[in-house]
C-alpha cells in the first residue's frame, strides 16, 4: 500500500486523491449563507437541528446524524458506540480503520481490537469473515467481537451490492454483532449501484454509517448516521470529550445539508465515477479491479509509471515496491482534459 | 456557572457568547482562496506548511503550530503532550478544561487528573497554586503534577499580565512543571495588555498555547502553538489518532493564516473589548469583575434579568440560581446599536 | 496527609499501618489446604466457585464476588462497572481513591472524574454532597455523575451508620446514581456498628462493595462484592484485561473464604478496634476524631511526636507539616504490650 | 486453539495446564517465613528491596524487578513501558498476548496495536517479522512499531536459542524497536537450552522479560525484569495505578526470591521437561512439534482423544474442531505414575 498523504507533487494532472480536490460551489455557498445570521453555538443552531430530518428523508428511515470533522472521527466515534473496550471489530485487512488511522479506533474505543479478514478487492465475504472468527471463543480470555465494519466503496474501489451487505449483516446479526459501514466514498458506491440509499444501509442491516462528504466536494464535515436510536445515546458525550463538537457547529451542518439538499452528492459522485470509467476502459487488461467508484488500480509497470510522471501525471504507486502498480483517483472536479489525457496515456501503455 | 450552550433564544440583541458570532470576511475570503487551487491533503498543502513560519514571526520565536477543529481539542491535545496518564494539571476551579469539556483532558491524557485551585476572577496566583500542591507528595501513590494551565483571558474576562504569567511560570518550572495557556480568548487579552504576543507567552514561560481563532471571527480552526520543540514530537500522532487531522487541512490553515496576516485578530478583539468596556462603564458598581477582555459579569438582580430579557437582550444567568448575576459577551461583530442599547439598559439598572 | 508507604522505621512498636501486620493463621492454613489438591485454573476452581454463595449467606442477599489482588483494584474495577468514561464519582476530598491510588479510578474507567466533597472525619453528608453537585449540569459539556463512593470506615476511622448510608444512598438513587463503598476497613466498621453486614450495605442502598481482607489479616486478596447483578456483567472482562484474573485463583478465593467461614474477620477486627479504643481513652482531649474503627488521630505536638519516636513508637505524622498531629493504626495482631505502652505514653502527653 | 481455562474435568490424570499444579514447598515456606516478622508495606519491605539484587545476580547484569500478580500484568505493564499509545508490538499470531489476554496489552498501553506474524511452532523468524512490517510506513497515518515480543518457551513448547533471539533482536534494534520476552515458561526453556539466563535475555538483546514463576510452582507472583534502566522509570506509577502494587508486597517478593535462591526454578522446570520428554518419546510420529519445554502437541485422532479421556486423562483439544489434535502439559508436580500412564497410552495410539 502506498500512503495517501505523500507531499503533493506539483503535477499538472493530479490523480493522487479526492482529498486534493476543491470544495464544490454548493458547499461554499451554504457556508456563506450560514454566516449571514447569528445563530446558536455547538449543536444548538438552526442548521444542526435539521440534520436528523434531512438525512432521515434521504435514507427513508429515522436516524440520528452527528457532524464530525474527519472520516477518522466518524469511523472511530461510531465504532466506540458499538463495542466495549474489550470488544473487537471484524474488518478487511486493508481497511482504512486498520491501515491509515494511526490506531484511532483503539483510542476511541478504549482498546478494542480489529480482527482482520481477507477478500478480493477489499471486499469481505461471509466466508472470509467466518474463517477469522471460527477460532475465536466466547470466554473472558478473549476480546469479544461486537461489530463488523464494511468499507463502501472499498479501498480498491469496489462496491458491495445490497444483497452482499445484507448477507454479511445477516451473519453478523446472527452472531450478535452490530454492522458499521465506512462510507468515505459512499456517494460513489451509491451512484454506481443505482439503488436507494436505504437499500444498501439500514434495509441491509447497517446500524451506523460514516457518511463521507469531504472527498466528494465537502470542506470539513463528514457525518455519523445512526439508524439504531440506542447506539446514538452515548455519541454526544463521546463527541464532546473528543473535541469533535465545534463551537460554531453550524458551518459543519451547512455543508452536509447542502450536499444532500442540492443533490450535489450525486452530481459530484457521478462525475468522478464517469471519469474513472472512461480511464478504466482505456486501461484494458492492465486494470486490476473492476471500477465501481472513482478509483482505478492499474498495472502500469515500473517504466510505465516513470513515463506517466514525466508526462505530468500525479498518482501513487501501489502494492509492493517495484510491482509497477498504480492507483489513480478521479475527483468530482477532475477536468475532462486531464481525464482524456490519462486515458490516452494508459491506452498507449496497455497497447 | 451557567452553560454557554443553551439553545439560543432568538434575541434581537445577542450577548450569549462569541461562539454565536459570524465569521469575519478575511477568514471567509481565505477559505475561498484556498479553494482556487488543487493542493496537498492532510498537512501537506501549501498553507499548512506556512503555519510555523507565520506564527513564529508573530510570536517572535520558533514554534510548531498544529491546526485543530476546536478549543477543546487544542487544550486536550496540548495537555496530553505535557503530562503522562499518571500526571496531573493544576488549573483554576472554574477553568473551561475542568467545567465545560466533558472530561476531554482525561480522555486525551489517558486519565490524568486536574487539580483545582482558587483565585479571584478565575485568576490563579502563586499562593493559590502553592496551597493545593502543598499537601501533594512525590511518591508513586499519587498522580504527579506535570503542568500548570492558565486561561488567558480567564473565564471571568480577566487578563494575566506578563509579570503575573512569569511569576506563575517561574514557580511551576521550579517544581519541574510545564506551562499551558488556554487562549480561547487570547486575542482579547492581548489587545487589553497591549504587549507583544511573545511577552505573555514564551517569554513568560508558556510552553504550549491554545490559540483561539474561532471565537474571534474564525470558523472552524483553533491552533496549538508549541514553543518547546520537544513537546511537539508526539502531537502529529496524537492529532491523527484523535481524528483531528482533516484530509483537507488547508481550509483550517487558511483561517489561521488569514487571522494573523491580515491582522484581523487585532481588529476583531479590539472591537469586542471596546464594546465590553463601554457597557462596563454603564454597569457602574453592579460590575463584578474588572473588564479586561470581551466579557462582563454584572449583578443585574433577578428582576433586572427579567426586564432585560423582555427588552430583547440575550445572555446567560451566572452564579448560583437566584443570584441575579448575568454574563454578557461582546463579539467582534456585535453592533454598535446593540452595545448602546445594553449600556443604556444597564445604566438604568445601576442607577 | 502523610503517606502510608514510607519506609518502615524499624520501630519496636509499629503503629504505622495495618498493612504491616501479619497474615492470620486461618488464612495461611486455607492457602496450605488449597495446595493439597490439583484444581482448576483462573476462576474455575472448587474454591472460587463457592465465593458467591458464601458471601451471599454472609450478607443475606444474592451477590457476585470477584477476588482481586489489591484494594485499589477492587475500588477501580468496581467504579469502572458503574460509570462510563464521561462519568463522574462523588467522593470525599480525602478518599483513598482520590489521594492514594495514583489515578487508578481514572485509568480503569477510561477517564471519569472524581468530584470532591467535604465532611468532618472523612464522612460525607447529604448536605456536602448536595453542595458539590448543585452547580453541575446535565448537559453534554460536563461529565455526568453516576456514582457516590463512601469509605467505610473512613480515612479518619469513622463509621457510617446504616441510617447515614441509607440517607446518602437515597439521595444518590434519586439522582440516578449508583452507590459504591470502599470497605478496605469494612470489618472494623462492622464490629463497631454491631449491625448485620447487610444493614450497612445492600439494605442501605450499596450496589458495589470493596470488601477488605488484606488489612484485616489477609495476605493478597480483597473482593468486589456486587449486589446488583447487572453491574457484574462486565467485571469478568475488566478483571481479565487488567491482569487481575490470576491463573491460580484458588489461592485468592481460599483467603476470602477462610476469613468469612472461620469468622476470623470478626475476631481480627474486634482485636484491632479494642486496642484502638484503649489507646483513645488514654489520649483524652488530644483525640481529634471519635474512634470507631482501628485508627486514631491524636494531637501529640511536635515535641510529643519526637519523644514518642524516641520511645520506639512507629507512626505517621498527619495533617500539615508542623501540625503535631499523628496517626496510629492498630492491627489485628498488635501486641497488648505495645498497646499498653502507647496508651501510657499518650496518657502522659495528654496530661 | 482451545482455551486453557475450561472448567477442570476431575480427571484422575491431569495434563490440562501447569496452572493447575500445586505451589512448591520452598515457595510456601517462604510465605510463612515472610509472615514471621512485621514489615513495611507496598514495596518498602525487607524482601521487595532485595529483588533487584537477587535477580541481577541470577541474570549476571543489573536489572530492575517488579513483582506482579499475573503473567498478563507482567506482559502488559512491560509492553506499556515500551511503546506509546500509537505504537505497535510485533508478536506471533498465536501469542498469549494476542489470543488469551482479553486485550490487556491494548488496555495498558492506551490502545497500541499488536501486529501478527507467522512462524512454525509459535516461533517468529527474522523473515516472518520482515514480511509483516515490509508494508508498514513511518508516517503519522499508521501506528509505529516500537517493540518485538517473543514467547519463551512458545505457545507450542518450542524454545528460541540464544542465537535465534539475538538475530531477531539485532533486526529489531536496527529498526529502532525494543525487545520483550514473554517468559511464562521461561524456566522450562532455560533448562532445555542449558545456557546461562543472561545468554537468552539481555546478552541476546532482550530489554524486558516477563519472568514466569506461577506456572513453575509459584503461587501468585510473576515478575517484570527490566534490563534497560530507562524503561523502568514509569513502571512504579503504572503498577500502582493498575492496582498491581499490593499493600503486603512482601508475600509476592518472598515467592520470587525463594524460586531463585533455592534454585527451585531449575528443579521444577527440569521435572516438568523430563516428563514431557518421556511422553514425547512414546508419542512417536504423532508428535507435532519438537518438545523443548513441558508441553506436547500430539495427533491423537478424534477416537484416540475419546479413548484417552475414558482412561482418565485430562487435556485440551487443540487446533480446528475435529482435527484430533491434543495438548498435554506436564507440571513440576505431575506424578511419575501419571507420566508413565500417558506415555503408555500414547505409545499404543502411535503404534
Amino acid at each position: 500500500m502506498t500512503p495517501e498523504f505523500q507531499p503533493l507533487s506539483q503535477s499538472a494532472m493530479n490523480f493522487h486523491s479526492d482529498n486534493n480536490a476543491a470544495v464544490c460551489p454548493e458547499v461554499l455557498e451554504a457556508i456563506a449563507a450560514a454566516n449571514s445570521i447569528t445563530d446558536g453555538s455547538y449543536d444548538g443552531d438552526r442548521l444542526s437541528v435539521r440534520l436528523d430530518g434531512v438525512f432521515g428523508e434521504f435514507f427513508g428511515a429515522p436516524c440520528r446524524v452527528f457532524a464530525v470533522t474527519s472520516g477518522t472521527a466518524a469511523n472511530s466515534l461510531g465504532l466506540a458506540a458499538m463495542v466495549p473496550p474489550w470488544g473487537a471489530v471484524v474488518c478487511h485487512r486493508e481497511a482504512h480503520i486498520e491501515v491509515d488511522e494511526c490506531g484511532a479506533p483503539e483510542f476511541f474505543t478504549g482498546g478494542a481490537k480489529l480482527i482482520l479478514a481477507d477478500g478480493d478487492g477489499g471486499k469481505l465475504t461471509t466466508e472470509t469473515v467466518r474463517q477469522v472468527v471460527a477460532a475465536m471463543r466466547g470466554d473472558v480470555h478473549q476480546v469479544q467481537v461486537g461489530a463488523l465494519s464494511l468499507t463502501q466503496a472499498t479501498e480498491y474501489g469496489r462496491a458491495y451490492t445490497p444483497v452482499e451487505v445484507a448477507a454479511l449483516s445477516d451473519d453478523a446479526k446472527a452472531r450478535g454483532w452490530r454492522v458499521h459501514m465506512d462510507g468515505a466514498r459512499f456517494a460513489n458506491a451509491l451512484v454506481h449501484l443505482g439503488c436507494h440509499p436505504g437499500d444498501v444501509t439500514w434495509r441491509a442491516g447497517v446500524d451506523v454509517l460514516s457518511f463521507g462528504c469531504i472527498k466528494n466536494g465537502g470542506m470539513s464535515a463528514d457525518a455519523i448516521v445512526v439508524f439504531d436510536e440506542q447506539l446514538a445515546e452515548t455519541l454526544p458525550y463521546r463527541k464532546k470529550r473528543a473535541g469533535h463538537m465545534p463551537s460554531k457547529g453550524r458551518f459543519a451542518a451547512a455543508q452536509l445539508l447542502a450536499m444532500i439538499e442540492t443533490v450535489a452528492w450525486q452530481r459530484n459522485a457521478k462525475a468522478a465515477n464517469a471519469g474513472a470509467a472512461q480511464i478504466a476502459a482505456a486501461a484494458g487488461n492492465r486494470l486490476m479491479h473492476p471500477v465501481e467508484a472513482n478509483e482505478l488500480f492499474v498495472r502500469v509497470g515500473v517504466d510505465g509509471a516513470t513515463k506517466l510522471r514525466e508526462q505530468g501525471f500525479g498518482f501513487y504507486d501501489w502494492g509492493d515496491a517495484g510491482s509497477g502498480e498504480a492507483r489513480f483517483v478521479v475527483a468530482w472536479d477532475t477536468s475532462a482534459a486531464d481525464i482524456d489525457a490519462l486515458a490516452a496515456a494508459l491506452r498507449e501503455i496497455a497497447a
Side-chain angles (χ1 to χ4, degrees), chain A:
Chain A
M1 290 144 292
T2 311
E4 294 196 17
F5 46 84
Q6 291 173 355
L8 183 72
S9 66
Q10 302 301 335
S11 323
M13 297 172 287
N14 189 322
F15 292 90
H16 280 95
S17 170
D18 29 15
N19 286 326
N20 303 129
V23 177
C24 71
E26 292 85 350
V27 166
L28 270 187
E29 284 157 21
I31 288 172
N35 202 36
S36 67
I37 51 165
T38 296
D39 210 334
S41 53
Y42 300 105
D43 289 351
D45 62 275
R46 280 163 273 204
L47 297 174
S48 296
V49 299
R50 291 182 52 225
L51 285 170
D52 290 2
V54 168
F55 275 78
E57 193 165 340
F58 179 70
F59 282 103
C63 60
R64 294 286 309 280
V65 179
F66 300 90
V68 290
T69 57
S70 66
T72 295
N75 286 333
S76 296
L77 283 165
L79 291 171
M82 303 171 87
V83 297
W86 53 90
V89 177
V90 174
C91 68
H92 193 277
R93 186 174 303 286
E94 301 193 43
H96 201 266
I97 56 173
E98 165 68 12
V99 174
D100 279 307
E101 300 189 352
C102 196
E106 289 85 351
F107 176 51
F108 281 84
T109 59
K113 272 182 184 289
L114 303 186
I115 306 293
L116 309 180
D118 294 303
D120 287 345
K123 286 179 74 172
L124 298 174
T125 67
T126 54
E127 179 55 22
T128 61
V129 172
R130 197 198 59 74
Q131 281 164 9
V132 294
V133 298
M136 298 193 71
R137 310 181 314 252
D139 63 71
V140 77
H141 296 253
Q142 292 202 332
V143 292
Q144 302 299 307
V145 178
L148 175 73
S149 180
L150 308 173
T151 308
Q152 178 78 310
T154 75
E155 279 68 24
Y156 287 96
R158 302 290 311 274
Y160 289 95
T161 66
V163 167
E164 289 169 334
V165 174
L168 284 156
S169 291
D170 285 351
D171 274 20
K173 298 290 168 83
R175 293 185 177 104
W177 306 348
R178 301 289 195 168
V179 179
H180 173 261
M181 180 171 276
D182 175 357
R185 294 187 179 96
F186 180 74
N188 301 96
L190 199 57
V191 301
H192 168 77
L193 295 167
C195 65
H196 187 277
D199 290 347
V200 76
T201 54
W202 64 273
R203 280 199 198 98
V206 172
D207 296 300
V208 176
L209 168 72
S210 294
F211 178 87
C213 166
I214 297 173
K215 289 181 197 294
N216 194 33
M219 188 179 97
S220 58
D222 284 345
I224 310 170
V225 181
V226 184
F227 296 106
D228 179 331
E229 175 72 22
Q230 197 189 339
L231 290 175
E233 277 174 25
T234 67
L235 277 169
Y237 299 102
R238 294 184 188 277
K239 268 189 67 171
K240 176 65 195 181
R241 79 196 244 99
H244 283 292
M245 189 175 282
S247 55
K248 294 185 177 172
R250 57 197 179 277
F251 295 102
Q255 299 176 51
L256 293 163
L257 293 174
M259 199 58 91
I260 299 294
E261 296 189 312
T262 71
V263 204
W265 71 268
Q266 193 177 58
R267 181 206 56 207
N268 291 354
K270 277 187 172 169
N273 285 13
Q278 177 184 337
I279 299 165
N285 62 6
R286 297 299 188 102
L287 198 64
M288 299 172 62
H289 299 284
V291 173
E292 299 169 350
N294 62 325
E295 295 185 294
L296 303 101
F297 296 81
V298 185
R299 275 186 220 90
V300 295
V302 173
D303 289 349
T306 303
K307 192 185 296 181
L308 285 168
R309 290 199 167 96
E310 287 167 359
Q311 293 173 295
F313 295 103
F315 58 92
Y316 287 122
D317 294 321
W318 214 255
D320 297 331
S323 69
E325 299 170 7
R327 185 189 81 161
F328 303 92
V329 185
V330 183
W332 73 275
D333 64 346
T334 305
S335 73
D338 287 1
I339 290 168
D340 290 345
L342 181 57
L346 289 182
R347 193 172 295 116
E348 191 171 336
I349 286 175

